[in-house]
Amino acid sequence: TGQGKKSRGSGPGARGKNSKHTAHSTQSTATFTEAFSDELVRIAETNQRVVAITAAMPEGTGLGAFAARYPGRCLDVGMAEQHAVGLAAGLARGGGRPVVAIYSTFLQRAYDQIMHEVCLQQLPVVLAIDRAGLVGEDGPTHHGVFDVAYLRVLPNIRVLSPKDPDELRAMLRWALEQDQPVALRYARGGIVDGPPLGQGPKITLGTAEVIRQGTDVALLALGGLVSPALRVAEALGREGVDAAVVNARFVKPLDAAMVREMATRTGRLVTLEEAQVAGGFGSAVSEALDALGLSGVPHLRIGLPDAFVEHGKRHELLTRCGLDPENLTRRIIRWYATVRSEALPLTPTLSPTE
């Protein structure tokens, strides 16, 4: 079990749909890891099939409480991520509902098992991907920036990212009700920058959450960048740019209907993700625009650079990478000014022309 196992790396990190967004006071102060830990214990009280698996990281991934409560249902396989995912596949095949909690950077080691043992067989394994994004002082070896790109290309898997810890709770409950693989990616700590977001609508397969309506540009944000996107939208509003904000929720399946709606309504899209921009969420939106016959819609993809990011405090690294609200606002305003007068006809066609 995970009891008494020394964790490697650092421990847990520091702590209305169709209208303009209004802050709520109900936001939990828990970190993503704390919310995952607490909710998994709650779910396991009534679902005896739930089993937790870790690869030598029970405390870092938040499974310590689960191991203490259900020692016979928490398996620590040591530093063997491949075995953790392979074991989960076997348990799922036997009727269990395994939850594999692994840091994003270490999950890369188990890619073959994710592909062949889990996705190919369409087994209901939940991948709880902690430390997805910039992790801070642990440095380039621990930043979890590639998982969006390497997971979304695999068939049969659902890939989600919550906007806040409370939404992670809802996503975990939803994931354990599915009959296919589900990956939940979430950042270290909690919300970095932005207002409390309150309770959103229930999780529905492939459906995004429109948090703020706008007519000039749509900000499609993934996971922890939803709150900063709201601050950016407010700043854009002071510059005369009316910005919509969408909580993407799903990387796969992507909400193509939402992409069509925002592209035709605003004529300009910006995607925001705390992941490498190459092959990531923004790339998925670009592919959707092309499939919808809307490839002419101006689309700015913002994410992490094609580089290994050095160590530093998380908020400092976000600023260095241009993902803080101030830098995002400046970049989007510059881009908006260049595309404002270049809008193309937005009626979807099979063969869009310029």
Side-chain angles (χ1 to χ4, degrees):
T1 74
Q3 290 179 296
K5 185 78 174 182
K6 183 177 180 181
S7 300
R8 77 181 153 186
S10 58
R15 326 185 175 272
K17 185 176 180 181
N18 292 317
S19 61
K20 299 297 185 185
H21 175 76
T22 302
H24 297 76
S25 59
T26 58
Q27 176 63 36
S28 168
T29 57
T31 67
F32 284 105
T33 303
E34 289 166 347
F36 163 76
S37 174
D38 181 67
E39 194 63 29
L40 188 62
V41 170
R42 289 173 183 268
I43 294 170
E45 290 177 356
T46 56
N47 188 342
Q48 300 300 314
R49 295 189 298 159
V50 171
V51 179
I53 302 173
T54 178
M57 296 293 291
E59 299 303 328
T61 59
L63 290 184
F66 189 98
R69 184 74 174 271
Y70 308 107
R73 294 159 63 188
C74 187
L75 306 173
D76 188 338
V77 301
M79 295 186 187
E81 288 80 6
Q82 299 94 323
H83 176 45
V85 176
L87 173 62
L91 290 170
R93 176 66 75 184
R97 297 311 301 259
V99 177
V100 187
I102 297 180
Y103 286 9
S104 171
T105 188
F106 299 137
L107 188 63
Q108 295 159 180
R109 301 169 179 171
Y111 193 65
D112 185 71
Q113 284 70 31
I114 297 170
M115 179 186 296
H116 291 113
E117 273 66 47
V118 176
C119 291
L120 180 62
Q121 301 183 64
Q122 300 187 53
L123 295 174
V125 173
V126 176
L127 301 175
I129 309 174
D130 203 329
R131 308 303 202 269
L134 298 172
V135 299
E137 290 87 340
D138 288 332
T141 58
H142 281 55
H143 296 315
V145 302
F146 305 110
D147 55 87
V148 173
Y150 71 67
L151 287 176
R152 77 176 189 88
V153 299
L154 297 177
N156 302 328
I157 193 169
R158 316 316 196 182
V159 183
L160 300 81
S161 189
K163 69 178 183 289
D164 57 35
D166 283 340
E167 188 166 74
L168 175 58
R169 292 175 179 270
M171 287 184 174
L172 181 59
R173 294 192 298 269
W174 180 87
L176 284 166
E177 295 170 353
Q178 307 309 302
D179 293 324
Q180 286 188 288
V182 177
L184 307 176
R185 75 178 306 266
Y186 46 94
R188 180 179 187 176
I191 295 177
V192 174
D193 203 333
L197 299 178
Q199 185 68 39
K202 66 179 292 187
I203 307 299
T204 304
L205 179 64
T207 303
E209 176 192 10
V210 179
I211 297 179
R212 187 184 197 273
Q213 291 286 8
T215 57
D216 295 326
V217 63
L219 310 181
L220 314 184
L222 182 66
L225 287 189
V226 173
S227 288
L230 285 166
R231 284 196 56 191
V232 171
E234 294 167 359
L236 291 174
R238 293 191 289 270
E239 299 294 326
V241 180
D242 188 20
V245 175
V246 176
N247 169 24
R249 285 186 165 177
F250 283 83
V251 174
K252 185 175 187 176
L254 184 69
D255 189 344
M258 174 275 296
V259 173
R260 180 197 295 270
E261 176 188 354
M262 289 297 157
T264 54
R265 177 178 297 176
T266 70
R268 305 164 195 89
L269 301 182
V270 177
T271 48
L272 306 170
E273 59 190 307
E274 192 179 335
Q276 191 180 58
V277 72
F281 167 65
S283 295
V285 171
S286 289
E287 293 161 13
L289 288 170
D290 185 57
L292 292 167
L294 291 168
S295 58
V297 173
H299 173 204
L300 174 62
R301 293 184 299 141
I302 298 179
L304 294 172
D306 183 18
F308 290 105
V309 179
E310 291 301 318
H311 72 280
K313 295 184 183 301
R314 185 157 178 260
H315 71 276
E316 293 174 348
L317 295 178
L318 288 168
T319 299
R320 190 183 307 172
C321 293
L323 296 183
D324 62 297
E326 292 73 20
N327 278 311
L328 288 171
T329 300
R330 285 193 289 268
R331 182 173 178 184
I332 292 170
I333 286 176
R334 289 195 302 268
W335 172 81
Y336 180 82
T338 65
V339 301
R340 184 177 182 182
S341 61
E342 300 174 4
L344 302 174
L346 297 182
T347 301
T349 62
L350 292 178
S351 302
T353 58
E354 297 189 7

